[in-house]
Amino acid sequence: MEAPAPMNITLSNGAVIPVEMHKVRIVQRTSLPPVRRRLEAIGAAGYNTFLLRTKDIFLDMLTDSGTNAMSDNQLAAMMVSDDAYAGSESFYKLADAVKEVLGFDYAIPVHQGRAAEHLLAKVFVKPGDVVLMNYHFTTTKAHMELAGASVLELYGDATLQTASTVPFKGNIDVAKLRACIDKYGASKIPFVRMEATTNLVGGQPFSIKNLKEVRALAAQHGIPLVFDGSLISENAYFVKRREPEYANASITDIIREMMSQVDLFYLSGRKSTSVRGGLMATNSKEYYDRILAWLPVYEGFATYGGMSTKEVEAMAVGLREMTDENVAGASPDLIQYLVNRLEKSGVPVVTPPGGLAGHVDAKRFLPHIPQKEYPAGALAAAIYVASGVRSMERGTISCDRDQNGNETYADLELARLAVPRRVYTMSQMEYVVDRVAWLHGHRDLVKGLRFVEEPKVLRFFFGKLEALGGWDRDLAAAFEKDFGTGC
Ligand code: F0G
């Protein structure tokens, strides 16, 4: 049973709704193209939602990366940034915020999260190593593998069950961790990585209890703990709501408790801190020096690390703001609303609701499409045709082929409806629910996809596919029958 959250308000009819604890002061226009235009656009994009243009998109739910709403204080801070190449005062404000919020002495700005992963791989990983994680992220895995290592995921039994009530599906199975350390030996394990929250399996958090157990075991063997905090404030929010021991703790306290377990921290600042940048942080002078040596080669000088100093300023503010429960919980609460409404409409979704997005389970939504025909990719394309809403494939297309050219089938086939923080409203979520539920009613019309242009690495970004049998036209025709030629 989850603890109640402050912005989930009970109405007099008993319904609980997430009420926004902010005012919208700047807006951006969007428009809903008619279904015929959507059909043309998805065809031109090779049925890959990454290749759609914003002008053809109504609600952009591809990602929360770099698309969260910034606060008035963040925008104000950007105006006073210090553009000095070296010694920028903006950096020192960031370093102060890192010390205050995360408790680390050394802060290293980088241009975004994957830059941190690149440096991690460069500095800590050697060929033949085994990197252990709760779950991989696409760019993390690519960097570890490019450095010659393999990635092993040590999740528990519940993690891949999409319909579940297990509150912390992002936990590492400690028995598996012990077995791996015994099998490979500490010298082959450069670090254990905990991702908050596990992006590819539905934004699922881990508990502090689990983090502490993992850290204790790793530390016994001299293995450092690396924390990917891209959604650190959301993970902290779930700890507060789902881990009874922390029900009365503040987000600040929970973050500090998590950080007390961490040897090396990094994040994509594009998420929890609502800016375009990235960060690494540690209390180890040795780690800091080793990373710093490569920073000017790949990122930039130590006081900007490839980021605009405007974003450095805004990250300092964003770090402090994410400790506000209303900020940390803004996306999780709207996601919970979206997921609950989808579930009530009969749409198969990942439960419990996680951070980052509402996830639709394509294996259950489109059971007639085999994995080799990419059900999650087909679902993302179909959602766009049915609604003008852009979601993201998180399934087999997001896994590259192995070295022999064979498909690596994803554990889960998900269409991810990301909920960028403080950007969309409840009426927009109701629209999403309605159109996805309509699509579910017409799911038999949706068929698979086949690659026509397939890049070797991270193929989901630029790959182009075709719709088998031209099913998208049948879907658009069914839509027009029900809704006319409009939207
Ligand atoms: N780690 C996690 C957990 C992420 O979710 C991401 C990015 C990265 C690292 C890489 O950071 O994009 O700043 O280079 N996730 C984005 C997404 C791309 O859409 O979920 P980045």
Side-chain angles (χ1 to χ4, degrees):
M1 189 62 191
E2 288 192 2
M7 53 279 206
N8 283 334
I9 306 252
T10 308
L11 303 182
S12 17
N13 67 3
V16 179
I17 56 167
V19 176
E20 293 83 355
M21 290 295 152
H22 55 263
K23 295 181 277 189
V24 179
R25 302 286 306 283
I26 297 181
V27 296
Q28 190 171 36
R29 194 177 180 280
T30 187
S31 57
L32 176 51
V35 66
R36 284 287 135 187
R37 173 65 207 143
R38 305 197 297 254
L39 190 64
E40 277 166 24
I42 198 69
Y47 302 86
N48 178 352
T49 57
F50 273 97
L51 301 181
L52 289 167
R53 286 181 59 166
T54 294
K55 70 178 176 60
D56 292 319
I57 296 165
F58 173 40
L59 304 178
D60 191 0
M61 300 179 78
L62 182 81
T63 179
D64 60 342
S65 175
T67 56
N68 290 339
M70 297 179 82
S71 71
D72 46 2
N73 285 319
Q74 283 185 295
L75 292 172
M78 290 174 96
M79 296 303 290
V80 295
S81 65
D82 172 7
D83 276 333
Y85 182 93
S88 165
E89 288 304 321
S90 302
F91 168 75
Y92 292 100
K93 290 187 207 165
L94 175 62
D96 285 350
V98 168
K99 180 71 187 164
E100 182 186 312
V101 176
L102 303 172
F104 295 118
D105 289 336
Y106 302 104
I108 304 171
V110 290
H111 80 270
Q112 63 183 81
R114 69 200 67 183
E117 291 167 340
H118 174 218
L119 292 170
L120 256 182
K122 181 98 196 149
V123 170
F124 294 96
V125 179
K126 55 184 191 318
D129 277 356
V130 183
V131 182
L132 308 181
M133 331 184 155
N134 50 353
Y135 208 83
H136 81 275
F137 182 66
T138 51
T139 55
T140 329
K141 191 170 182 198
H143 279 297
M144 300 309 138
E145 290 180 350
L146 285 169
S150 48
V151 165
L152 284 184
E153 296 155 321
L154 309 178
Y155 49 82
D157 294 339
T159 301
L160 301 183
Q161 288 159 13
T162 52
S164 167
T165 54
V166 172
F168 291 109
K169 293 199 288 184
N171 282 356
I172 277 188
D173 182 322
V174 179
K176 285 187 189 166
L177 176 61
R178 190 172 291 115
C180 263
I181 297 174
D182 288 348
K183 182 169 172 194
Y184 297 102
S187 65
K188 282 223 168 308
I189 305 172
F191 52 83
V192 177
R193 170 178 172 275
M194 289 293 268
E195 180 178 304
T197 57
T198 44
N199 188 321
L200 296 185
V201 283
Q204 300 295 314
F206 52 77
S207 67
I208 291 192
K209 179 171 181 285
N210 184 251
L211 177 65
K212 287 185 170 173
E213 286 169 1
V214 168
R215 168 62 176 345
L217 184 55
Q220 259 176 36
H221 296 270
I223 302 169
L225 190 127
V226 170
F227 190 108
D228 177 337
S230 299
L231 284 182
I232 181 175
S233 52
E234 281 75 4
N235 202 102
Y237 184 73
F238 287 121
V239 164
K240 182 170 172 65
R241 297 202 61 195
R242 298 181 185 176
E243 196 166 356
E245 212 183 321
Y246 295 93
N248 297 318
S250 66
I251 300 295
T252 305
D253 291 344
I254 293 171
I255 288 177
R256 287 302 282 261
E257 183 85 349
M258 292 196 292
M259 292 303 96
S260 71
Q261 304 299 307
V262 173
D263 297 298
L264 184 56
F265 175 88
Y266 78 92
L267 58 67
S268 166
R270 302 170 63 87
K271 294 184 171 236
S272 271
T273 65
S274 301
V275 299
R276 284 130 301 253
L279 175 75
M280 302 177 85
T282 181
N283 278 328
S284 160
K285 172 89 167 68
E286 185 211 325
Y287 293 168
Y288 174 70
D289 287 342
R290 286 169 67 187
I291 296 166
L292 193 67
W294 288 105
L295 198 68
V297 179
Y298 293 111
E299 299 298 306
F301 190 72
T303 53
Y304 75 94
M307 287 171 73
S308 142
T309 54
K310 291 188 167 41
E311 304 280 343
V312 173
E313 285 274 349
M315 182 183 272
V317 176
L319 274 174
R320 292 197 173 94
E321 287 183 347
M322 74 181 189
T323 65
D324 175 342
E325 197 175 332
N326 290 327
V327 175
S331 282
D333 282 351
L334 195 54
I335 290 164
Q336 174 174 282
Y337 178 83
L338 171 68
V339 167
N340 289 348
R341 291 280 297 111
L342 284 169
E343 201 179 18
K344 281 208 178 76
S345 311
V347 175
V349 281
V350 174
T351 54
L356 146 78
H359 293 82
V360 184
D361 182 352
K363 277 189 190 165
R364 285 189 283 147
F365 197 110
L366 299 170
H368 53 282
I369 302 184
Q371 268 189 293
K372 65 177 178 5
E373 291 174 7
Y374 312 126
L379 182 55
I383 289 174
Y384 173 73
V385 172
S387 64
V389 172
R390 170 156 79 161
S391 62
M392 185 193 289
E393 192 268 5
R394 294 277 77 157
T396 295
I397 296 177
S398 296
C399 302
D400 290 333
R401 288 177 190 268
D402 68 16
Q403 284 159 346
N404 305 317
N406 298 317
E407 286 284 5
T408 312
Y409 290 113
D411 293 324
L412 299 180
E413 296 285 345
L414 307 176
R416 172 178 104 173
L417 290 157
V419 179
R421 187 190 276 167
R422 299 190 291 192
V423 172
Y424 294 128
T425 62
M426 207 183 300
S427 58
Q428 290 169 328
M429 293 304 104
E430 281 298 318
Y431 170 82
V432 175
V433 170
D434 182 78
R435 292 302 194 254
V436 174
W438 176 88
L439 182 65
H440 191 238
H442 294 75
R443 59 190 174 280
D444 291 346
L445 294 175
V446 181
K447 304 283 187 296
L449 301 174
R450 179 171 48 215
F451 267 105
V452 288
E453 286 174 37
E454 186 180 346
K456 279 210 161 48
V457 180
L458 299 178
R459 63 182 178 174
F460 63 92
F461 281 127
F462 302 119
K464 287 196 160 188
L465 303 98
E466 63 186 3
L468 294 172
W471 58 258
D472 51 326
R473 289 192 299 272
D474 302 335
L475 186 64
F479 185 92
E480 282 184 336
K481 200 160 154 261
D482 287 358
F483 301 104
T485 52
C487 298

